[in-house]
Amino acid sequence: MDAQSYNAALAELRTVRDAIKKARAELSKLEADRDKRITQLVAYAKAKAERIAPAAGLSVTDVVAVAPALTPDRLAVPASEPHTQTPDPEVLAPASVDETAHQPQGSVTRVASAARAQPNAAEVPAKLGDSATPPPTSKARSLASIPEGTTGDNWFTHTQGLASTRPNFTQQARSTVFLDTATGVLVHRQQTHHLDLGNATAADILTAVFRTIPEGVERIYITAGDPWHRDADRYPYLRDAVAAWLNAPIPGWRTDTGRGRDRMAGHFVHARNPVGRYQRDSGDHHVEIRSVGEWFDTDGDDPTVVRDAFVLLWQALRRHWNDAVIMGSPSQTGRDLWTRTIPTRGQYAEGFPVLSEELRGLLHATAGQGRNELLTPPRVPEQLPQLVEYDRTFAYAKHTWKSPVGTPRRITAATFASWSEKEQMRALYRCGHWQVRVSVPDSWSHVGLLPAPAPGDRAWHYPATPGTTFTTWAGGPEIHTALTNPLQPWKIEILDGILWEDGKPLDDWAKKLKETWTNLTAQAHFQGDPQQARAGHLASRAVRSILLYGIGAFAQRPRMVTGTTPRTAERDVPADAEIIAFDDEHITWQKPTGFSRDPNAHPEWAAAIWSAARAALLTQRHRDDDTYAGALHTEPGTVVAFRTDALYLTEAQNWPYHHHPGDYLLRGHLTGPVTAPTSEEELLALRDAGRAALTTSQEH
């Protein structure tokens, strides 16, 4: 580019800037007009937020924020008790032991108990500027608790007639093709075709694929192109663009209503990896359009490489499951494979019973997933000396050796207080979920250790300011880490708890997946053919997804149903639905339907693994090397971020790495000075730069 072209481009950029400014001003004007009209509607005595929401294109919550007088009765909080109302556990939904550190002398004395639980005690705010502290204008949500007396005691049972059992049928494979919508390359078995996809709408894709393969297919994996984002610039959010793409009319086709034992009905609206489910009007053919991004990240890989990866994955799984079938998603595949490891003899030959709906709801509301936290200045320097990324390899696979089984017991504060210190510590070693009041030591100078509820649905933060007190729920591994960490024990007060027997319901499943992962990783490393090496690597990443998302599937979140209603029938939009998209013809909405009678719902297993994984990010023992790794084994002020199973530090560490699940692998190294990231986008940009820099240095 020469100087003239540069100046011309700058002029064009200024024009775009001015157009954006003008559009924003117009949008602000329209939004102000909309809010004014909502406020005027309050004058009507029978005005309801549920009716106004679809007309305004907002959720009920957004309407109430504009006009608080429209707050539905079921959501209103009595003014006389703003902090004591126990929320519905399904409303407060959050979004993977032996590695804990040595026990300091006398740490057990830091365990306390309360004669009576106070589950909704207000959290003492931390100092302003602490990145772990909620904004001062926001109020941290209170977590659900177990009712006192017989009402709460009755939760401690199983759902009658519902248990995970070994299947007595063989899963059927689906005819699958792999399509790059950017190039039009379609791979079907050993054949490669070049398609004209037009505008790459769902109608264009189905027409082109079925013209090329008349005998039909049942699953179309999109390997590149993201066709559902083609009109993203027309919508404020990616989900809106995706919903419009999925719901666009297709002559001769309609939305699938589901069938078979793995019945899945309707489209799944997701910003990055949506699922479109269609059936012919005649009902004789069903097909899914899915993103291969559910399984692994591709980097411009040809569809033939992706096809080979799935072939290698299937062959590797067949060595452990002779009836293994790759299903549409990693989570479906993971749970199906797990059911085929349920023992046919012994205590659980009749299956693993499912907890009561009340306990499942409590775990759903109080057991978070991976730790995601960004520490910003002044907790870290404005200019970082360097940024080093350590990623725990196949992390969740390390924490599946022990899981809760049997009928759970309630451990009240009084019961816990009556035990000896030895009995208390033994209980915390076992599989449990505890409601606790936590106090950060006055001289604490490192990262937070336990998750606490933060403002917003599914939001968690990790208080670290000395003197902060908060009430939360946490698993045994995290509480044990807080009590026995290598720096300074925290004060933990037990308010209530759920305690199970220790069992191994996931051990056989996880061992087989770990062996599959090891074999595919080795195959990728030693394979001489670059294409097959890449396919082996992708297949190993798919195994990771099977375990990771298989564990997440056990959590069984309350189901969300997505639907569309013609604009002319606006009154038919369900009153409790959230509007997620709309256009001139249709309103797209979603609504929760609660928990289904899922025989494979075991949120207690997911919660235990997630707790152990979060604890291992803080401290993890390497027995063979007689050493420890984790955030608490770094200097205060050197931890920049946690991201599920990764740590970002300002100093390199000499932690052992033996290619075992859970080991800390050096993934990126960016030399400084580096401006400290203040958002997730900035962190991810630095992560990518650090990984590229490390790869370059290793190649030279």
Side-chain angles (χ1 to χ4, degrees):
M1 177 180 286
D2 56 21
Q4 183 177 0
S5 300
Y6 177 74
N7 291 328
L10 282 178
E12 293 173 357
L13 185 59
R14 294 188 189 99
T15 301
V16 173
R17 176 201 63 194
D18 294 340
I20 291 173
K21 184 177 180 180
K22 183 178 179 180
R24 283 177 175 166
E26 182 63 24
L27 177 61
S28 297
K29 182 179 178 180
L30 290 172
E31 289 176 338
D33 184 42
R34 177 200 62 196
D35 294 349
K36 179 181 178 180
R37 294 174 185 274
I38 291 174
T39 304
Q40 291 172 345
L41 291 172
V42 176
Y44 179 55
K46 296 182 179 181
K48 292 183 179 296
E50 294 92 338
R51 285 290 310 282
I52 296 173
L58 297 173
S59 68
V60 171
T61 302
D62 292 333
V63 170
V64 169
V66 174
L70 294 171
T71 303
D73 294 339
R74 69 180 187 278
L75 297 180
V77 179
S80 60
E81 43 184 48
H83 299 297
T84 58
Q85 186 178 15
T86 301
D88 183 340
E90 290 189 11
V91 174
L92 298 179
S96 328
V97 179
D98 61 333
E99 299 82 13
T100 51
H102 61 284
Q103 300 180 21
Q105 291 282 334
S107 64
V108 176
T109 62
R110 303 300 293 175
V111 180
S113 62
R116 182 177 181 274
Q118 299 180 22
N120 296 308
E123 179 181 334
V124 177
K127 294 180 180 178
L128 298 180
D130 186 340
S131 65
T133 305
T137 56
S138 300
K139 184 178 69 176
R141 73 188 194 281
S142 297
L143 294 179
S145 59
I146 305 172
E148 295 185 11
T150 56
T151 301
D153 294 340
N154 290 337
W155 289 14
F156 287 75
T157 183
H158 292 109
T159 301
Q160 188 173 2
L162 195 62
S164 306
T165 57
R166 194 181 185 101
N168 57 5
F169 65 93
T170 300
Q171 196 67 253
Q172 297 300 308
R174 301 269 181 96
S175 175
T176 302
V177 297
F178 302 89
L179 174 64
D180 183 334
T181 60
T183 63
V185 173
L186 174 78
V187 173
H188 177 227
R189 297 174 181 164
Q190 300 302 317
Q191 297 178 332
T192 299
H193 307 271
H194 293 270
L195 309 186
D196 179 1
L197 297 176
N199 293 320
T201 63
D204 292 335
I205 290 173
L206 292 179
T207 300
V209 169
F210 281 88
R211 181 189 300 122
T212 306
I213 307 172
E215 65 269 26
V217 297
E218 296 176 276
R219 184 176 297 138
I220 301 170
Y221 275 125
I222 305 300
T223 65
D226 295 338
W228 35 80
H229 293 164
R230 288 295 176 94
D231 294 326
D233 56 343
R234 294 175 50 195
Y235 298 89
Y237 303 104
L238 277 179
R239 278 175 57 91
D240 295 346
V242 171
W245 189 89
L246 291 172
N247 290 299
I250 304 177
W253 295 82
R254 64 177 184 269
T255 303
D256 198 346
T257 55
R259 74 210 186 284
R261 296 178 183 271
D262 58 334
R263 185 183 181 92
M264 297 291 286
H267 303 314
F268 175 62
V269 181
H270 186 278
R272 301 292 178 184
N273 299 312
V275 181
R277 300 185 177 98
Y278 306 94
Q279 67 179 100
R280 288 195 185 277
D281 288 340
S282 59
D284 61 350
H285 200 91
H286 304 253
V287 63
E288 290 182 332
I289 299 178
R290 311 186 71 111
S291 168
V292 80
E294 295 179 86
W295 291 88
F296 40 68
D297 292 329
T298 59
D299 186 18
D301 293 300
D302 188 271
T304 57
V305 175
V306 177
R307 185 270 321 274
D308 291 347
F310 275 89
V311 171
L312 290 175
L313 172 64
W314 176 77
Q315 292 172 339
L317 291 174
R318 280 277 172 145
R319 297 188 182 99
H320 299 285
W321 288 275
N322 58 12
D323 55 353
V325 169
I326 297 178
M327 302 178 71
S329 70
S331 61
Q332 289 175 282
T333 306
R335 288 216 299 185
D336 180 68
L337 293 176
W338 172 76
T339 60
R340 298 172 194 281
T341 64
I342 295 175
T344 56
R345 291 183 293 179
Q347 182 179 2
Y348 294 103
E350 299 300 319
F352 293 93
V354 173
L355 293 176
S356 69
E357 185 167 331
E358 291 82 2
L359 278 188
R360 281 182 279 149
L362 180 74
L363 287 165
H364 167 69
T366 61
Q369 300 183 21
R371 179 169 182 169
N372 288 285
E373 181 185 21
L374 176 63
L375 285 73
T376 57
R379 295 189 66 183
V380 296
E382 294 275 0
Q383 293 295 315
L384 308 178
Q386 56 186 325
L387 186 64
V388 189
E389 178 192 6
Y390 288 94
D391 187 35
R392 295 187 66 229
T393 300
F394 205 19
Y396 286 2
K398 186 175 179 64
H399 306 294
T400 54
W401 63 279
K402 182 178 73 171
S403 301
V405 294
T407 304
R409 296 169 52 199
R410 181 177 189 177
I411 307 300
T412 64
T415 299
F416 192 86
S418 69
W419 290 346
S420 66
E421 291 180 359
K422 183 177 181 180
E423 289 173 319
Q424 290 177 349
M425 293 307 296
R426 186 183 299 122
L428 295 179
Y429 264 120
R430 289 172 54 189
C431 295
H433 191 57
W434 302 91
Q435 187 180 38
V436 293
R437 184 179 296 112
V438 184
S439 297
V440 182
D442 291 338
S443 58
W444 188 255
S445 61
H446 220 297
V447 298
L449 303 187
L450 291 171
D457 189 27
R458 300 191 181 188
W460 300 87
H461 66 129
Y462 295 79
T465 302
T468 299
T469 299
F470 59 95
T471 299
T472 191
W473 284 84
E478 293 171 283
I479 294 176
H480 186 267
T481 297
L483 292 167
T484 65
N485 73 81
L487 302 179
Q488 184 180 9
W490 284 29
K491 181 181 178 181
I492 307 293
E493 187 177 8
I494 301 295
L495 304 177
D496 213 340
I498 310 168
L499 191 62
W500 289 267
E501 296 297 325
D502 296 346
K504 294 182 176 294
L506 304 177
D507 194 43
D508 184 35
W509 173 71
K511 283 181 177 177
K512 290 178 177 179
L513 288 178
K514 283 187 280 189
E515 290 180 16
T516 303
W517 172 79
T518 300
N519 291 337
L520 287 170
T521 301
Q523 186 172 340
H525 181 73
F526 294 109
Q527 174 60 249
D529 180 86
Q531 179 168 316
Q532 287 300 303
R534 177 63 179 171
H537 171 72
L538 294 179
S540 71
R541 299 297 292 174
V543 176
R544 174 186 177 276
S545 296
I546 288 173
L547 185 133
L548 179 68
Y549 296 116
I551 290 169
F554 286 122
Q556 196 229 5
R557 307 295 183 193
R559 293 184 303 168
M560 297 293 292
V561 172
T562 302
T564 58
T565 300
R567 292 291 294 265
T568 55
E570 185 179 293
R571 286 175 174 269
D572 295 336
V573 174
D576 56 346
E578 175 189 1
I579 307 302
I580 59 175
F582 59 91
D583 54 28
D584 294 338
E585 301 294 331
H586 296 90
I587 298 172
T588 303
W589 48 266
Q590 66 178 16
K591 59 174 289 187
T593 60
F595 292 102
S596 64
R597 282 184 60 83
D598 184 352
N600 296 322
H602 293 286
E604 68 276 19
W605 297 348
I609 293 170
W610 292 336
S611 176
R614 290 193 299 265
L617 275 178
L618 298 170
T619 178
Q620 172 176 281
R621 184 184 178 190
H622 292 261
R623 286 190 175 87
D624 294 342
D625 303 276
D626 192 25
T627 189
Y628 293 86
L632 294 181
H633 302 280
T634 66
E635 291 298 318
T638 62
V639 178
V640 177
F642 298 86
R643 189 169 172 80
T644 307
D645 49 14
L647 271 177
Y648 295 83
L649 310 171
T650 63
E651 294 181 356
Q653 306 294 321
N654 189 29
W655 292 336
Y657 183 75
H658 302 299
H659 301 275
H660 297 157
D663 285 358
Y664 280 91
L665 170 66
L666 177 63
R667 288 291 305 278
H669 191 171
L670 197 60
T671 57
V674 178
T675 301
T678 57
S679 67
E680 182 182 32
E681 291 75 14
E682 292 177 2
L683 175 65
L684 294 180
L686 292 175
R687 177 199 66 181
D688 294 342
R691 291 181 178 180
L694 180 63
T695 300
T696 300
S697 65
Q698 290 173 339
E699 290 175 349
H700 294 83

